[in-house]
Amino acid sequence: MTADFDLALSTVAHYRWGSLAVSFDRTRIRNRALVDAAGREQDLDYTVENTTEAAEVVAFLHELVHYAQDLTTGVGHWDDQLRRRWLPECLVNLRGPGSHPRPALPFAEDYDDDEQLTGDVSYTRTIHEAFIGDQQIFRRDKSFPAARAQAIADMVNRDLGTDHTPDQTLSLRPEALFEGEAAATVQSLMLKGKIDTSRRGALDDVANLWDFYRQPESYQASFRLFLSAFDALPEDPEWRAETAFDWFTTLIDLACAYPDPDWLARHPRVERTHFEPGVKFLRLTRAITGNARAIERVVDDAEAVERILLDAMPFRYPTARKVYAGWADWFDRKIRTESVGEPVLTVRRDSARRRADGNPILPTKTPMRMITAQLPLMMFDRQGPHQTWHGEMLADSERQSAVLADSLYDSTLAELVGAMVETGRFRCPLGLTGFCRSAQDRCRKITDLRQLPPLPGCHVRGMLEANEFRIATTDPATPGV
């Protein structure tokens, strides 16, 4: 797990896919951040006092979208179950190499005459590449699997009768869709807001963080594709500029309704490229063009609009409601049969169940919608963790701690296995988030397991020893060692 899984707003804040925690790198955050942001949204008031506050407000809104993409969509659920299925097995397979006298990262390709250690690393690398590398849906463009890129291009060409290369379909990859949705959501909120022109200077000073058309081209690519379909919709004098952004984010939410493993097992002949978010997004966009009049009649009913769009597509997709009912049932079974990961699985189950039983489509992922959905929110800045809880969890400190610990364990395991077989650098999530009181500067870039701080302070060393790793206590970074 590397920066290949980061969704970052400049250098201000970032969301690491799968972490369920928003990290603020250069701004502070408060426990009331979600409530305050919802108040601004309700009052349509984005007036700020200075550029520091402006950056805080915009960064929070942007990264909140990424958090919601992870916790509330089928794409996020799929990637989570994939990590939980394969990463523990990867760690167990690496006990031998991790106990080698020189456990430098990444682990060696060849251990001279020790075929067992060589085989352990080779096998684990194959698993990690095949499942975490290739099957995990979200990856940054720079590390996007070539085979998946080609499969997307091939399916687009079949749909359109074109001859696009993978490089010509960058706007359909997850990074473009996710960053586009976040940027469009913030831009829409700014357009709806009432901002005193005499006090707008601070927001204008950070316009590169919220003005959609000052964002990187990758943030705009999928929206530009969508605009060709939006122009085909019937004109409505009450529609405002932000309506286009809201339609765009609605289609992305529908495109991310990825089915659960049981659904795919029941449909073994279905080509999974149909469920690539970019492929479905393109099909949804094209379906608008030929169904504008029908959409106009039911425009206020999101599920009715979804049915019209799905009926016009070349593949028979399940509705969002069915997708999330499937995920809720799948999480239920996992919680009953497996004890590991139950705290986060319960949160995901509840998220899917609210979609299945309530509104299955989230047209915008804004603070008000997050509160309505009663989703917990974990955040970190340089002062440490900040959390927002709802419902029964407000008074359940044990469950709060369990969710936080489970999410951090999953993030640490992903980062650790990635460092062992791929990146060669371990950035400890426990140290970076201020959760670990034994954290040292070295925890930001560990290149040898012997560099881990000693017990009893280092949680990671303790986790590895509990998994039968035998790591030397000497530190290769110390002079004379």
Side-chain angles (χ1 to χ4, degrees), residues 11-206:
T11 58
V12 178
H14 75 276
Y15 181 78
R16 174 152 292 191
W17 191 251
S19 69
L20 298 189
V22 180
S23 297
F24 295 86
D25 308 309
R26 295 194 177 183
T27 61
R28 60 180 180 172
I29 200 66
R30 306 173 183 84
N31 287 348
R32 285 185 49 86
L34 182 61
V35 176
D36 291 344
R40 287 182 180 274
E41 181 184 353
Q42 188 172 30
D43 297 337
L44 301 177
D45 183 5
Y46 290 95
T47 303
V48 292
E49 297 297 329
N50 49 57
T51 55
T52 299
E53 185 184 3
E56 291 174 9
V57 169
V58 173
F60 179 80
L61 294 173
H62 186 101
E63 299 306 325
L64 182 67
V65 176
H66 294 320
Y67 165 80
Q69 289 164 342
D70 191 345
L71 185 54
T72 71
T73 72
V75 170
H77 297 332
W78 173 266
D79 285 355
D80 180 79
Q81 65 83 26
L82 204 64
R83 291 190 304 272
R84 290 176 184 276
R85 166 64 183 87
W86 293 106
L87 286 176
E89 181 173 333
C90 287
L91 187 69
V92 169
N93 289 335
L94 294 171
R95 286 181 299 197
S99 301
H100 190 270
R102 294 187 178 278
L105 304 173
F107 292 156
E109 294 279 353
D110 181 57
Y111 285 85
D112 298 327
D113 297 328
D114 197 326
E115 294 182 1
Q116 180 65 49
L117 294 187
T118 300
D120 288 344
V121 174
S122 177
Y123 175 68
T124 306
R125 211 169 252 133
T126 299
I127 291 178
H128 192 267
E129 181 178 344
F131 294 100
I132 305 303
D134 290 345
Q135 288 194 25
Q136 181 159 311
I137 299 170
F138 175 75
R139 281 196 79 118
R140 299 270 309 275
D141 287 349
K142 65 180 181 180
S143 63
F144 199 75
R148 276 181 61 196
Q150 186 63 58
I152 291 172
D154 289 345
M155 190 161 283
V156 168
N157 290 333
R158 290 204 299 269
D159 281 4
L160 303 182
T162 54
D163 192 23
H164 291 313
T165 66
D167 287 344
Q168 292 174 306
T169 59
L170 288 173
S171 61
L172 301 179
R173 294 186 191 174
E175 182 179 1
L177 294 177
F178 288 177
E179 291 292 10
E181 183 182 15
T185 299
V186 176
Q187 176 77 79
S188 179
L189 289 172
M190 294 296 108
L191 287 172
K192 294 171 185 175
K194 303 171 186 174
I195 305 173
D196 187 337
T197 53
S198 66
R199 302 175 66 187
R200 191 183 176 90
L203 271 176
D204 287 341
D205 287 343
V206 296

Side-chain angles (χ1 to χ4, degrees), residues 432-444:
L432 293 172
T433 56
F435 184 82
C436 178
R437 295 183 179 180
S438 299
Q440 303 173 18
D441 287 342
R442 73 173 71 177
C443 298
R444 295 178 177 273

Side-chain angles (χ1 to χ4, degrees), residues 254-277:
L254 288 171
C256 289
Y258 200 93
D260 66 276
D262 288 348
W263 190 96
L264 290 171
R266 293 194 303 270
H267 301 81
R269 300 179 66 180
V270 168
E271 189 177 350
R272 295 192 184 185
T273 307
H274 287 295
F275 287 99
E276 283 283 354

Side-chain angles (χ1 to χ4, degrees), residues 198-427:
S198 66
R199 302 175 66 187
R200 191 183 176 90
L203 271 176
D204 287 341
D205 287 343
V206 296
N208 64 304
L209 300 180
W210 64 265
D211 187 333
F212 193 81
Y213 293 103
R214 298 193 194 183
Q215 301 289 304
E217 176 60 30
S218 59
Y219 287 37
Q220 303 177 35
S222 52
F223 182 71
R224 293 184 188 280
L225 176 66
F226 160 77
L227 281 179
S228 61
F230 182 73
D231 289 343
L233 288 169
E235 292 189 9
D236 185 331
E238 295 184 2
W239 283 11
R240 297 162 295 177
E242 59 267 28
T243 304
F245 291 116
D246 292 348
W247 268 94
F248 171 64
T249 56
T250 300
L251 294 192
I252 291 180
D253 187 68
L254 288 171
C256 289
Y258 200 93
D260 66 276
D262 288 348
W263 190 96
L264 290 171
R266 293 194 303 270
H267 301 81
R269 300 179 66 180
V270 168
E271 189 177 350
R272 295 192 184 185
T273 307
H274 287 295
F275 287 99
E276 283 283 354
V279 168
K280 190 176 179 184
F281 171 75
L282 178 63
R283 289 172 171 173
L284 288 164
T285 299
R286 296 186 70 227
I288 285 179
T289 305
N291 293 277
R293 289 185 179 277
I295 290 171
E296 182 181 15
R297 291 192 289 269
V298 296
V299 71
D300 294 325
D301 184 341
E303 287 189 84
V305 171
E306 180 194 22
R307 287 193 293 272
I308 291 172
L309 297 178
L310 295 186
D311 285 345
M313 293 162 71
F315 174 78
R316 191 171 183 79
Y317 289 97
T319 63
R321 189 176 295 281
K322 289 183 178 179
V323 166
Y324 292 109
W327 274 113
D329 292 343
W330 188 87
F331 283 126
D332 259 337
R333 288 192 293 275
K334 281 290 179 182
I335 292 167
R336 289 197 303 268
T337 58
E338 297 180 13
S339 59
V340 178
E342 184 270 339
V344 166
L345 291 180
T346 299
V347 172
R348 286 190 175 276
R349 187 270 316 275
D350 293 347
S351 168
R353 183 63 69 194
R354 287 190 184 95
R355 287 239 205 187
D357 295 345
N359 185 356
I361 302 167
L362 282 178
T364 55
K365 296 177 177 65
T366 64
M368 284 293 291
R369 291 189 182 276
M370 294 302 99
I371 289 179
T372 301
Q374 294 196 327
L375 298 176
L377 177 61
M378 294 172 285
M379 304 165 285
F380 295 92
D381 61 14
R382 292 183 178 182
Q383 278 67 53
H386 307 267
Q387 298 118 41
T388 299
W389 308 96
H390 306 278
E392 295 178 357
M393 291 185 71
L394 273 171
D396 194 339
S397 58
E398 287 190 11
R399 189 177 171 195
Q400 292 175 14
S401 298
V403 171
L404 180 61
D406 186 24
S407 64
L408 284 171
Y409 174 80
D410 186 49
S411 297
T412 302
L413 183 58
E415 182 81 23
L416 190 58
V417 172
M420 289 176 176
V421 300
E422 182 182 358
T423 67
R425 187 184 75 165
F426 175 59
R427 300 186 304 168

